[in-house]
Amino acid sequence: MKIVEQIKAPVAHEMELFEKKFQLAMASRIALLNRITHFIVNRKGKQMRPMFVFLVAKMIGDGEVNDRTYRGASVIELIHTATLVHDDVVDDSLKRRGFFSVNALWKNKIAVLVGDYLLSKGLLLSIDNGDFDLLQIISVAVREMSEGELLQIEKARRLDITEEVYYDIIRKKTATLIAACCSLGACAVSPGSQDVEKMREFGEMIGIAFQIKDDLFDYGNERIGKPTGIDIKEQKMTLPLIHTLQIASKKDRKWLINSVKKHNRDKKRVKEVIDFVKNNGGLEYAVKAMYDYRDRAMSILNTYPDSEYKRSLELMVEYVIDRKK
């Protein structure tokens, strides 16, 4: 059985029911909107985010979920989908998960409006049902994701990202949504409990480990077999490079910054930067950081009694670290 199927197994029934509820949550009386949302739903990814919601809810709720859990999962997926549609417009990306993106097929104006529609549907789903505690969790996540993206753009212009700023960016950009999923799962079944904050922190630790793993892919992996250097081409400062800059001599640091700033389209120069980072311990440093965050996530899980839901969450943590893409 594939690892994702193993993770999903204890909440397979809930995920099936969620699919139906999620499609209903997207419904509109506008035919064009329904065509586009149908297109989006049929090209969904692994749906890790709703899985987090259900696994956490069942771990904390002794195997039980409620209507709030389904609404929480739907809201997070609506918001997440809205951000993906908007991201593709911002990045001028024509593909999403191997298919054409919404903006590629329907142009930017419609894509932005569809993203806005999904965002409003998510917010109204919470408001109409009085789930104001869930709404607060989601709203904080949306604010932080926007701040993280803008902080990264601001810093990329000057390439003056310290490790502290890097963690601030990835915590907001990536980790905050996974943290919101876990927090929502807890809040749906046990509102106001300590579990809500504990699970938020658990999700944040996984999210940071997830992003560091993504950063490492830029330096090559078993599946690709060769480095991609895409982050360097896009002038994104990731942990392996930031650490290398910190320990490099003044001369080497100047060469590295100059390479990323002015020669980021030169394949030979990008390869030289990748080799320099590898030879100066940048990857080992990032790998150690990733495992540290994994261990912190696991230590939070270890405070809960054993269950199939807890085991699935442990598998999820390992999957984040071991994935090949």
Side-chain angles (χ1 to χ4, degrees):
M1 197 193 293
K2 280 185 178 173
I3 182 122
V4 176
E5 293 305 313
Q6 272 180 273
I7 293 165
K8 191 178 179 178
V11 291
H13 171 69
E14 285 79 11
M15 289 295 290
E16 214 174 293
L17 191 51
F18 160 74
E19 295 264 336
K20 292 170 187 159
K21 288 178 181 280
F22 180 57
Q23 287 187 28
L24 281 173
M26 276 183 152
S28 161
R29 284 179 297 196
I30 312 288
L32 174 62
L33 252 176
N34 284 332
R35 257 203 322 277
I36 297 169
T37 54
H38 180 73
F39 171 82
I40 292 168
V41 166
N42 285 343
R43 280 148 193 82
K44 62 184 181 298
K46 297 184 188 78
Q47 291 192 302
M48 288 300 196
R49 285 156 193 85
M51 248 185 270
F52 268 123
V53 176
F54 289 115
L55 286 169
V56 168
K58 291 193 96 173
M59 180 181 77
I60 285 163
D62 296 323
E64 298 295 319
V65 295
N66 53 25
D67 284 343
R68 271 164 59 86
T69 319
Y70 286 99
R71 288 198 295 271
S74 294
V75 169
I76 209 89
E77 199 66 351
L78 282 163
I79 303 287
H80 174 58
T81 307
T83 61
L84 293 183
V85 172
H86 282 164
D87 280 352
D88 287 339
V89 174
V90 171
D91 298 337
D92 204 15
S93 184
L94 300 179
K95 287 285 179 81
R96 166 68 62 185
R97 299 187 185 117
F99 296 96
F100 284 115
S101 58
V102 172
N103 52 304
L105 294 172
W106 285 283
K107 305 302 174 207
N108 284 353
K109 184 176 181 179
I110 289 176
V112 170
L113 293 168
V114 168
D116 291 347
Y117 171 77
L118 294 172
L119 185 65
S120 68
K121 282 294 256 188
L123 301 177
L124 283 168
L125 185 60
S126 295
I127 292 165
D128 291 346
N129 290 282
D131 298 328
F132 298 110
D133 49 354
L134 304 186
L135 182 60
Q136 185 179 14
I137 292 169
I138 294 284
S139 301
V140 168
V142 173
R143 183 197 70 203
E144 294 218 317
M145 284 157 67
S146 307
E147 284 179 354
E149 287 285 358
L150 289 163
L151 181 59
Q152 185 172 51
I153 291 166
E154 179 195 349
K155 293 295 180 183
R157 286 177 178 162
R158 295 202 300 270
L159 299 187
D160 61 345
I161 293 183
T162 60
E163 214 171 295
E164 189 185 353
V165 172
Y166 165 80
Y167 279 117
D168 196 23
I169 289 170
I170 67 168
R171 185 183 62 75
K172 287 181 168 175
K173 250 188 76 177
T174 305
T176 194
L177 194 62
I178 298 173
C181 295
C182 298
S183 189
L184 273 175
C187 191
V189 294
S190 185
S193 68
Q194 287 182 327
D195 296 313
V196 179
E197 175 54 25
K198 264 172 83 174
M199 285 292 105
R200 188 204 64 76
E201 196 183 333
F202 166 73
E204 189 174 284
M205 296 303 108
I206 296 183
I208 291 172
F210 180 94
Q211 187 57 55
I212 296 172
K213 178 72 173 183
D214 256 16
D215 294 349
L216 288 163
F217 284 142
D218 209 44
Y219 292 86
N221 70 358
E222 300 90 340
R223 190 181 68 89
I224 300 168
K226 63 177 190 291
T228 63
I230 290 167
D231 287 339
I232 295 166
K233 285 174 196 140
E234 292 179 356
Q235 297 183 325
K236 279 183 189 163
M237 300 289 279
T238 60
L239 192 56
L241 181 57
I242 291 164
H243 175 70
T244 307
L245 279 167
Q246 281 174 344
I247 60 164
S249 67
K250 200 171 179 182
K251 182 184 165 203
D252 286 336
R253 194 180 303 126
K254 193 176 174 185
W255 174 80
L256 280 167
I257 288 172
N258 192 38
S259 300
V260 177
K261 257 188 176 172
K262 296 179 181 170
H263 303 280
N264 56 315
R265 297 283 162 188
D266 179 339
K267 283 184 183 173
K268 182 171 173 287
R269 190 75 168 257
V270 168
K271 188 184 181 306
E272 284 170 4
V273 170
I274 286 170
D275 290 341
F276 188 89
V277 170
K278 281 182 174 177
N279 296 333
N280 285 274
L283 296 197
E284 288 91 337
Y285 183 83
V287 167
K288 183 186 178 302
M290 177 179 73
Y291 282 119
D292 284 347
Y293 279 99
R294 178 204 62 183
D295 293 346
R296 286 163 73 179
M298 286 296 201
S299 69
I300 294 169
L301 271 187
N302 288 338
T303 62
Y304 290 92
D306 200 26
S307 68
E308 57 182 325
Y309 316 112
K310 179 185 167 181
R311 286 194 293 278
S312 269
L313 286 167
E314 287 168 345
L315 268 180
M316 187 84 96
V317 178
E318 294 300 344
Y319 170 73
V320 160
I321 300 292
D322 297 335
R323 67 202 165 97
K324 300 289 183 271
K325 59 178 179 176

